[in-house]
Amino acid sequence: MIRTAKRTELIEVAQGRRPAHIVIQGGIVANVYSGEFLRQNVAIYEDAIAYVGENEVATDEHTIVIDAEGMYVSPGFIEPHAHPWVFYNPVSMTAKVLPLGTTTTVNDNLFFYLHFGVDGFRQLVEDLRALPGNFFWLVRLVSQADFPGERDWFDPESIQKLLEMDEVVGTAEVTRWPLLYQGDPFLIDTIEVAKRMRKVIDGHTAGCSYEKLNSIAASGVSACHEAITAKEALHRLRLGMWTTLRHSSLRPDFPEIIRLITEKRVSTHRITMTTDGPHPGFIEREGFVDGLVRKAVELGVPPMTALQMATINAATYLRLDDDLGGIAPGKLADVILLPDLATFQPSLVISKGRIVARDGKLLVPLPKIDWGRYVSKKPFLFAKERLEDEHLYRYPHPKPEKPVPVAYFKSNVITERKDIHLPSVNGYADLSRHPGLLYASLIARNGQWVAKAILERFAVDIDGMASTYNTTTKLLVIGRNPKAMAAAAKRVHEMGGGIVVVDDGKTVVEIPLPFTGMMTTGHSFDTAVRFHDELLALLQERGFPFHDILYTLLFLTCDFLPGLRLIPYGLYDVKRAEIVLPAEGLEEKAVK
């Protein structure tokens, strides 16, 4: 990790022979190495810590002296598993979470890589070096839904080029973990390369039994954040995985999973915490890593233990602990001042030796990013008029004597198959007598295919909705009225990506997401919050019964969660591992 402070200069500051740039006096230092709270002074020179102790250090007229009497001096928080694309973007997310004390985020690159490829993503990483705080990456080995040409796009040579970057600390979660269980060489060979490069291998093992976890651990996976019970977390810990406790907008699991610590009394030195890409409203109301620490302490975790999980444990897992995670001489100066050990809301944030936030307000400029310069794919490769064809949205049903498979939502993201007898009109399923059933179509951005499904318990009363916010970033269209669905789809096409809801002939929600179809492009986190809250409230008014609409949209088009899924190959039954209704080819109608 590159730093500006020279070792010899730090030695001189520690010995009082060179004035410090920042001195924090009289605070109680949270020593996450020893587990002690100590009244000490901290001296910072350039971007590094030079001295921690009871002595006074040399200062001059340029030294910033901070009186920390009555405050706790803590290392900056670390988020080891972030998804900086949930309406917000890397810059707007940093603008929000840095003043909350999270000075380091480690980020999943999925949608950036899907749209930019290796060269565009490398350029993005280089440009984001201008961000305040520390911004690292985990790179995907495959997508969250198989698609034609996936393995060519994620070719191992390209992934290895990314792994060579200093900002890339490892490989990202393989959500389709059965590939690892089966020992797929496409993944295992690259994991071996990453291991030789001393990179971490992040994991995702939702629903994986203890016996199968043995194989996942053997595949090289370093960590997992998918345990939802204390027992599941203990399984991962016992098998040598770094165990990341999750509390997110989709899975607010702390009340149950924290029992791993409060009741089972396990060693916590290989336990970290994550928010796992929460929606903007969650961060606005619950916080980011500060919220994790706050919640853990509320549930009975000792404050020092909570701080360790959010700092030195995460840094050690990520193999960044030579530079980050604690307050000690020679470490990067990522320091936060906490008025108490209950709210964990910092009054001051220092990152790399610079005061970057005070009382929740960002004090440093953010880089101006031209998001369009990285994109290697156009939003849509067909004329929007193609979307006027209402047959794109109707579900084929030429044999009314046979039942139709319906994706019934049991929760935000879990569906189950229900076979329902429906009438047929002109060869298509008629939903008019079945309130609560909706058509769903996934349309390729190149106009070459459409996959179709019928949904139940997504919402009851929605005419038409279109969204590129989903795990494929293709055009997902949902509704009961094909005309309204077409109108919503055309508007998303015009915007180059986003979400539109049409009701009673009018557009009632319009959310432009031009950056990969997933993100806003501005610096304002408040914009992402407003868009999310507006969408969720409107859909809940129309019968959406759950709490996290963004993850419902995201995972409807993945191929690793239970139930029926709408993926590029068609309507997919995950349990049976079969395509129920293949995607329809539209090649002859695509516009060049």
Side-chain angles (χ1 to χ4, degrees):
M1 190 174 293
I2 299 174
R3 62 182 66 202
T4 58
K6 297 178 181 178
R7 299 287 181 184
T8 53
E9 294 170 334
L10 297 177
I11 291 170
E12 292 172 0
V13 174
Q15 295 174 359
R17 297 187 289 114
R18 177 184 288 267
H21 289 154
I22 297 177
V23 176
I24 304 171
Q25 291 183 340
I28 301 172
V29 173
N31 191 311
V32 294
Y33 303 108
S34 66
E36 300 172 283
F37 290 103
L38 304 169
R39 185 176 294 277
Q40 293 178 318
N41 301 322
V42 178
I44 295 170
Y45 183 82
E46 295 286 352
D47 56 353
I49 296 169
Y51 175 80
V52 182
E54 297 179 4
N55 290 344
E56 294 186 1
V57 296
T59 62
D60 62 14
E61 67 274 17
H62 302 296
T63 303
I64 299 172
V65 179
I66 299 170
D67 181 4
E69 184 70 31
M71 293 190 181
Y72 295 87
V73 184
S74 169
F77 299 139
I78 299 172
E79 169 55 89
H81 183 92
H83 298 288
W85 34 252
V86 188
F87 275 18
Y88 41 78
N89 60 61
V91 175
S92 61
M93 185 186 80
T94 299
K96 179 64 179 180
V97 305
L98 190 58
L100 299 177
T102 298
T103 54
T104 300
T105 58
V106 181
N107 303 278
D108 169 22
N109 81 328
L110 176 60
F111 296 106
F112 306 101
Y113 184 77
L114 278 175
H115 285 261
F116 306 164
V118 62
D119 293 332
F121 179 67
R122 284 173 62 93
Q123 185 62 58
L124 173 67
V125 172
E126 291 171 4
D127 290 348
L128 289 177
R129 288 171 182 164
L131 273 176
N134 307 298
F135 210 79
F136 296 99
W137 294 92
L138 298 167
V139 296
R140 293 277 184 146
L141 303 180
V142 288
S143 184
Q144 293 188 155
D146 190 10
F147 60 87
E150 178 195 27
R151 297 205 169 194
D152 293 331
W153 192 251
F154 286 85
D155 77 283
E157 279 193 21
S158 296
I159 302 304
Q160 290 173 31
K161 287 181 182 178
L162 297 181
L163 286 168
E164 292 169 358
M165 301 185 75
D166 290 340
E167 290 88 352
V168 175
V169 299
T171 67
E173 59 184 328
V174 177
T175 53
R176 292 143 62 191
W177 61 260
L179 295 174
L180 296 174
Y181 181 77
Q182 295 155 9
D184 189 329
F186 185 81
L187 300 174
I188 300 298
D189 290 351
T190 304
I191 287 174
E192 288 284 15
V193 171
K195 290 282 189 180
R196 289 196 293 270
M197 297 169 69
R198 301 296 296 161
K199 306 281 184 172
V200 304
I201 313 298
D202 201 11
H204 175 116
T205 57
C208 189
S209 69
Y210 178 84
E211 295 302 323
K212 289 184 177 180
L213 278 170
N214 276 269
S215 297
I216 301 301
S219 77
V221 167
S222 309
C224 181
H225 61 282
E226 283 294 330
I228 62 175
T229 67
K231 181 179 179 180
E232 289 181 353
L234 187 57
H235 286 168
R236 286 151 177 79
L237 197 61
R238 285 172 171 169
L239 289 174
M241 293 184 184
W242 283 85
T243 303
T244 306
L245 309 184
R246 176 177 56 190
H247 193 75
S248 71
S249 59
L250 177 61
R251 296 285 334 183
D253 289 328
F254 264 19
E256 158 57 28
I257 203 170
I258 213 75
R259 294 173 48 242
L260 177 71
I261 301 169
T262 58
E263 295 182 13
K264 296 186 180 298
R265 307 291 181 182
V266 299
S267 170
T268 59
H269 75 284
R270 288 177 67 86
I271 297 177
T272 64
M273 303 186 290
T274 184
T275 59
D276 194 16
H279 65 60
F282 182 91
I283 298 175
E284 180 67 22
R285 289 176 274 278
E286 301 289 334
F288 202 55
V289 179
D290 59 303
L292 297 177
V293 179
R294 183 165 54 249
K295 190 70 174 178
V297 171
E298 287 175 1
L299 293 169
V301 175
M304 175 56 72
T305 301
L307 287 173
Q308 288 170 324
M309 292 192 296
T311 57
I312 189 59
N313 289 14
T316 303
Y317 153 56
L318 296 163
R319 297 175 180 165
L320 298 172
D321 52 312
D322 273 355
D323 298 290
L324 300 172
I327 296 176
K331 308 301 182 186
L332 279 178
D334 286 356
V335 180
I336 61 177
L337 267 60
L338 299 171
D340 57 63
L341 296 181
T343 64
F344 295 95
Q345 294 178 343
S347 60
L348 191 75
V349 179
I350 297 172
S351 179
K352 290 182 282 194
R354 180 168 61 153
I355 297 174
V356 295
R358 189 187 301 271
D359 297 326
K361 303 294 183 183
L362 190 69
L363 302 178
V364 295
L366 296 167
K368 293 182 179 180
I369 304 294
D370 177 10
W371 301 110
R373 68 181 295 207
Y374 316 110
V375 179
S376 62
K377 299 178 179 179
K378 293 182 179 180
F380 296 98
L381 298 180
F382 62 92
K384 67 178 180 181
E385 286 73 22
R386 277 284 293 112
L387 296 169
E388 295 173 356
D389 182 359
E390 295 183 14
H391 293 95
L392 283 171
Y393 315 109
R394 299 186 185 278
Y395 189 92
H397 186 36
K399 299 179 179 180
E401 68 278 6
K402 291 188 175 182
V404 173
V406 171
Y408 174 84
F409 279 88
K410 296 177 64 177
S411 71
N412 267 287
V413 298
I414 303 299
T415 70
E416 69 177 7
R417 176 174 174 169
K418 289 176 65 176
D419 292 331
I420 299 177
H421 284 277
L422 295 172
S424 176
V425 176
N426 298 324
Y428 293 97
D430 178 12
L431 307 186
S432 61
R433 299 179 185 176
H434 291 76
L437 295 187
L438 302 174
Y439 299 111
S441 294
L442 185 67
I443 303 171
R445 286 183 178 236
N446 60 13
Q448 293 183 354
W449 52 260
V450 57
K452 297 180 177 181
I454 294 176
L455 311 180
E456 183 176 11
R457 208 168 173 243
F458 174 89
V460 176
D461 184 17
I462 180 170
D463 283 350
M465 172 182 180
S467 172
T468 52
Y469 190 94
N470 63 79
T471 206
T472 67
T473 74
K474 310 298 183 186
L475 184 60
L476 174 64
V477 192
I478 298 171
R480 62 180 183 178
N481 183 332
K483 184 176 181 180
M485 295 169 71
K490 286 178 61 179
R491 183 58 187 140
V492 170
H493 186 293
E494 292 169 353
M495 294 192 301
I499 300 176
V500 169
V501 179
V502 172
D503 190 28
D504 197 23
K506 299 177 182 178
T507 298
V508 293
V509 164
E510 183 172 294
I511 300 173
L513 301 171
F515 186 36
T516 75
M518 303 288 289
M519 288 165 273
T520 54
T521 55
H523 288 180
S524 172
F525 190 85
D526 291 343
T527 298
V529 173
R530 176 170 54 83
F531 281 158
H532 165 267
D533 290 353
E534 180 184 9
L535 178 65
L536 179 60
L538 182 133
L539 289 182
Q540 285 179 335
E541 289 172 1
R542 286 157 176 77
F544 180 72
F546 307 114
H547 65 279
D548 199 331
I549 180 60
L550 296 189
Y551 275 91
T552 298
L553 293 172
L554 187 72
F555 287 148
L556 174 59
T557 61
C558 73
D559 60 9
F560 60 88
L561 288 172
L564 291 179
R565 300 283 149 183
L566 192 56
I567 65 172
Y569 293 105
L571 181 60
Y572 179 60
D573 188 323
V574 176
K575 184 177 181 179
R576 302 179 186 180
E578 66 179 17
I579 298 295
V580 178
L581 179 69
E584 300 174 17
L586 302 173
E587 294 91 341
E588 72 281 0
K589 298 179 181 179
V591 176
K592 301 290 186 181

